[in-house]
Amino acid sequence: GAGVSQSPSNKVTEKGKDVELRCDPISGHTALYWYRQSLGQGLEFLIYFQGNSAPDKSGLPSDRFSAERTGGSVSTLTIQRTQQEDSAVYLCASSLVGLAGDSDTQYFGPGTRLTVL
Amino acid sequence: GEDVEQSLFLSVREGDSSVINCTYTDSSSTYLYWYKQEPGAGLQLLTYIFSNMDMKQDQRLTVLLNKKDKHLSLRIADTQTGDSAIYFCAEEQNSGYALNFGKGTSLLVTP
């Protein structure tokens, strides 16, 4: 597609359930990022994938969060045993190269709004 | 995001100039960014500035960078109602790829 797409756009789940959020980056972009946008907290970095390198997971808030990127393209963010504080908009972005020192524009998807009841 | 500070709200009248200010803490950021988020939409890159520049102009947008004070501003000339959105300032993390965002400034443009 022309831009970054994410699915679902909205997800409502019950506390304790697992959820999977999907991101389709722009074709040809080797770098993929997940961010979380919480009310009053702004955007926080979660995880970064670059090509075949090991992902930078330094932003994941707990071990209930994991992400994978299959075939260097589509990524799935999984949250296990969801808690109410996980409620947020989860944003995915991709960029062409993703290397330090380059102005490598990150293009964002529309996000998935997760609500944990 | 806690290291990047922005005022939370700004209201201007249509046709006036808007100035959104930001302070950041990571002096090693090579680039600094301004993103715009309209209701229900993702983030859209507005502009960015290289850290060795003081100013960058792009049509109605002017970015000013004061590295000494770690201060970044975005000026929108002739602000229109369509400019109403949340504007985020972002710096590069030490890694150089992930971004640290401010909490965003909600710009309201009134007729």
Side-chain angles (χ1 to χ4, degrees):
Chain A
V4 177
S5 60
Q6 293 185 245
S7 60
S9 55
N10 280 285
K11 176 72 177 178
V12 180
T13 190
E14 293 179 349
K15 179 181 171 181
K17 295 285 179 68
D18 298 350
V19 295
E20 283 189 354
L21 312 180
R22 177 187 167 105
C23 171
D24 274 280
I26 293 173
S27 177
H29 280 192
T30 62
L32 187 147
Y33 316 75
W34 284 98
Y35 293 85
R36 177 168 71 174
Q37 186 175 22
S38 306
L39 193 63
Q41 295 297 317
L43 282 123
E44 58 177 319
F45 164 73
L46 297 177
I47 188 169
Y48 157 78
F49 295 91
Q50 163 49 249
N52 295 322
S53 302
D56 177 352
K57 304 179 183 181
S58 60
L60 294 179
S62 77
D63 59 7
R64 296 186 295 104
F65 287 72
S66 62
E68 62 178 22
R69 188 179 185 193
T70 53
S73 181
V74 171
S75 177
T76 303
L77 177 70
T78 301
I79 309 173
Q80 296 177 307
R81 304 181 303 282
T82 51
Q83 304 295 311
Q84 288 181 331
E85 61 262 29
D86 300 334
S87 296
V89 176
Y90 289 82
L91 292 166
C92 176
S94 71
S95 68
L96 190 59
V97 177
L99 298 177
D102 288 336
S103 171
D104 189 29
T105 300
Q106 294 184 27
Y107 295 88
F108 283 79
T112 294
R113 181 174 296 278
L114 175 66
T115 303
V116 182
L117 301 176
Chain B
E2 61 186 355
D3 295 332
V4 180
E5 299 286 341
Q6 301 177 239
S7 54
L8 294 182
F9 187 73
L10 176 66
S11 179
V12 299
R13 296 182 67 168
E14 191 173 19
D16 289 348
S17 293
S18 308
V19 179
I20 302 172
N21 294 302
C22 168
T23 56
Y24 62 97
T25 58
D26 191 344
S27 57
S28 65
S29 292
T30 305
Y31 294 93
L32 293 142
Y33 301 85
W34 283 103
Y35 279 84
K36 176 183 180 182
Q37 186 177 37
E38 296 182 80
L43 290 164
Q44 171 196 357
L45 178 69
L46 274 183
T47 187
Y48 63 89
I49 188 167
F50 188 48
S51 58
N52 70 352
M53 296 172 64
D54 298 324
M55 185 182 82
K56 178 178 179 181
Q57 188 149 4
D58 184 1
Q59 299 183 333
R60 291 191 298 122
L61 305 178
T62 303
V63 178
L64 296 178
L65 174 61
N66 180 330
K67 283 196 72 176
K68 174 176 171 290
D69 295 335
K70 296 193 185 75
H71 184 265
L72 184 73
S73 68
L74 174 70
R75 179 177 180 269
I76 306 173
D78 187 25
T79 316
Q80 303 297 306
T81 54
D83 294 324
S84 293
I86 303 176
Y87 291 80
F88 291 90
C89 166
E91 65 178 2
E92 292 173 330
Q93 292 186 1
N94 287 335
S95 60
Y97 44 77
L99 299 175
N100 274 338
F101 287 87
K103 292 185 179 179
T105 299
S106 290
L107 174 65
L108 176 65
V109 183
T110 57

